[in-house]
């Protein structure tokens, strides 16, 4: 049986209702419950809308409500018209928004709508069920929050929902981008209300998403705790290691630099925020845990040091593969990269290694086909011994790599 998913914290923030700020509209979800996969924070990069879902209803009606909401948005509905679909399904909640069209939450919910006027006035209004709307053209936010049964901090949702809404209004008034506010909001909720497992977040304007950074690795498990540290990273070469393994490292094993600790919410903000130095890295061809995040850090460090050069990026990635930082993939060539300096984007196309191997074949001083031919005869043993004697320095170097 698959446990039902219920994103108990849904948030949408719009700090630039004109849609011109690349970080001006963002959304995110969390919960204490299991199965917070990407169905709880959907993003349309083409039409720039987000759909967040949750509620106490059954899984099938929730999926039907999501499909209904998306269908309405795809056919030109406003967020309020789309979110109202949730009221047709028992116990279901849907929140949706666009950078220029505002946001809305419909169905089963307890939420605050935050509106920040141009003169800095903050209006925070509670709603319970039905439909609540952040109008188009207004700076503001919507936050839904309730506690999950079994959460040690049960009973805190009402207070935290109100306090967090007020703090969101202050951050909007003070000029913080929506992507930063999403991260700070999830941090506050995770710490104070205990609804702390990802989930994730999206940047509606720029089409960035945390993807599966914080979602559960397996069914019926919780996602990543957003009130904890996420990884340690070398500021010079980009080497990184995630927690809990990161607890064993204080300095970079490559260049000896002191590692920087990155919290989960800071990693979330970094993943969806566009800056003048930001790089959007997409990884294809492999699903092994940790490969995508390490690849992103290595590419970012390479671009920062050498620029948008396919040869140097490929060299940096192959060095990481040699050092065992990236496993399960073959070496890359410049042709395996899609480097777009104009859009600050790099696509990495890996080919996964066969038969469960974690590292590419050694660069032996003899064709591997010869070893294959000798593999079933006893002379292969003697032949390998000769290789060890004649080419020991090369083999030792390869072994160390």
């Amino acid at each position: 049986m698959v446990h039902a998913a219920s994103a108990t914290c849904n948030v949408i923030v719009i700090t630039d209702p004109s849609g011109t700020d690349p970080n001006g509209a963002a959304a995110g979800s969390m919960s204490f419950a299991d199965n917070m996969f990407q169905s709880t924070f959907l993003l349309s990069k083409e039409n720039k809308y987000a759909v967040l879902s949750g509620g106490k209803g059954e899984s099938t009606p929730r999926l039907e409500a999501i499909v209904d909401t998306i269908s309405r948005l795809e056919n030109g509905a406003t967020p309020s018209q789309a979110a109202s679909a949730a009221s047709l399904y028992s116990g279901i909640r849907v929140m949706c928004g666009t950078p220029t069209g505002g946001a809305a939450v419909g169905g089963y919910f307890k939420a605050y709508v935050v509106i920040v006027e141009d003169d800095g006035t903050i209006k925070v209004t509670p709603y319970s069920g039905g439909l609540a709307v952040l109008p188009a053209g207004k700076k503001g936010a919507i936050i839904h929050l309730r506690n999950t049964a079994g959460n040690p901090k049960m009973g805190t949702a009402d207070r935290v929902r109100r306090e967090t809404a007020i703090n969101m209004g202050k951050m909007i008034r003070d000029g913080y981008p929506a992507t930063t506010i999403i991260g700070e909001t999830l941090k506050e909720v995770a710490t104070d209300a205990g609804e702390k497992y990802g989930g994730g977040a999206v940047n509606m304007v720029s089409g960035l998403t945390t993807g599966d950074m914080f979602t559960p690795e397996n069914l019926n498990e919780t996602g990543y705790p957003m009130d904890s540290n996420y990884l340690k990273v070398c500021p010079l070469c980009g080497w990184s290691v995630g927690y809990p393994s990161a607890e064993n490292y204080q300095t970079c094993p490559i260049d000896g630099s002191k590692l920087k600790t990155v919290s989960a919410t800071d990693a979330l903000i970094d993943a969806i925020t566009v800056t003048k130095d930001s790089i959007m890295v997409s990884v294809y061809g492999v699903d092994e845990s940790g490969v995508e995040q390490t690849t992103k850090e290595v590419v970012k460090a390479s671009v920062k040091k050498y620029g948008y050069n396919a040869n140097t990026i490929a060299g940096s990635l192959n060095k990481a593969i040699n050092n065992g930082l990236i496993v399960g993939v073959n070496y890359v060539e410049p042709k395996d990269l899609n480097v777009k300096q104009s859009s600050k984007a790099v696509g990495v196309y890996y080919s996964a290694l066969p038969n469960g191997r974690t590292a590419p074949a050694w660069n032996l001083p003899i064709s591997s086909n010869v070893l294959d031919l000798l593999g079933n005869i006893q002379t292969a043993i003697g032949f390998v011994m000769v290789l060890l004697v004649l080419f020991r320095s090369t083999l030792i170097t390869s072994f160390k790599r």
Side-chain angles (χ1 to χ4, degrees), residues 13-303:
V13 182
I14 298 176
T15 55
D16 177 23
S18 71
T20 56
D21 182 352
N23 301 310
S29 286
M30 288 190 309
S31 179
F32 186 79
D34 297 342
N35 295 329
M36 289 294 99
F37 295 102
Q38 288 191 49
S39 61
T40 61
F41 59 109
L42 297 171
L43 170 69
S44 171
K45 296 184 179 182
E46 294 77 17
N47 295 324
K48 297 186 176 182
Y49 63 73
V51 176
L52 312 176
S53 61
K56 288 189 173 181
E58 297 296 325
S59 296
T60 298
R62 187 166 78 92
L63 292 174
E64 291 173 345
I66 293 171
V67 172
D68 194 348
T69 301
I70 292 174
S71 177
R72 295 186 184 199
L73 289 168
E74 290 289 334
N75 285 284
T78 64
S80 60
Q81 291 170 335
S84 63
S87 297
L88 303 175
Y89 304 89
S90 177
I92 302 302
R93 172 182 66 264
V94 174
M95 186 183 294
C96 61
T98 70
T100 58
V105 55
Y108 175 86
F109 63 85
K110 287 186 177 181
Y112 276 92
V113 175
V114 182
I115 296 177
V116 181
E117 302 292 352
D118 292 338
D119 63 2
T121 302
I122 302 172
K123 183 179 180 181
V124 179
T125 307
Y127 291 88
S128 182
L131 183 68
V133 179
L134 172 64
K138 292 290 187 181
K139 296 179 182 180
I142 301 179
I143 176 171
H144 163 84
L145 175 64
R146 68 173 180 81
N147 285 129
T148 304
N151 182 345
K153 296 188 178 181
M154 190 75 178
T156 59
D158 290 343
R159 173 183 58 82
V160 175
R161 186 190 316 119
R162 181 177 183 274
E163 292 176 352
T164 305
I166 294 172
N167 290 333
M168 292 168 71
K170 292 178 179 178
M171 285 188 284
I172 295 170
R173 179 199 61 193
D174 294 343
Y176 288 89
T179 51
T180 297
I181 296 173
I182 282 289
E184 294 299 326
T185 297
L186 296 185
K187 181 178 181 180
E188 183 173 351
V189 169
T191 303
D192 296 345
E195 300 297 320
K196 63 180 183 178
Y197 299 113
V202 299
N203 179 329
M204 290 186 280
V205 182
S206 302
L208 301 179
T209 173
T210 56
D212 60 0
M213 285 176 64
F214 309 108
T215 60
E217 291 189 4
N218 301 297
L219 285 172
N220 297 335
E221 291 183 356
T222 56
Y224 199 87
M226 303 303 292
D227 59 348
S228 63
N229 291 325
Y230 187 68
L231 58 81
K232 288 183 180 179
V233 61
C234 175
L236 294 182
C237 74
W239 183 86
S240 65
V241 58
Y243 279 85
S245 298
E247 295 173 352
N248 300 319
Y249 295 86
Q250 301 302 321
T251 59
C252 176
I254 306 302
D255 58 30
S257 301
K258 184 178 179 180
L259 297 176
K260 176 185 176 182
T261 300
V262 181
S263 70
T265 48
D266 283 345
L268 179 146
I269 293 170
D270 182 64
I272 65 172
T273 299
V274 176
T275 68
K276 65 178 182 179
D277 298 321
S278 65
I279 305 164
M280 185 169 66
V281 183
S282 302
V283 180
Y284 307 94
V286 64
D287 296 323
E288 277 75 4
S289 177
V291 171
E292 181 175 1
Q293 186 61 34
T294 303
T295 298
K296 289 180 178 180
E297 296 297 341
V298 171
V299 170
K300 289 177 182 178
S302 180
V303 170

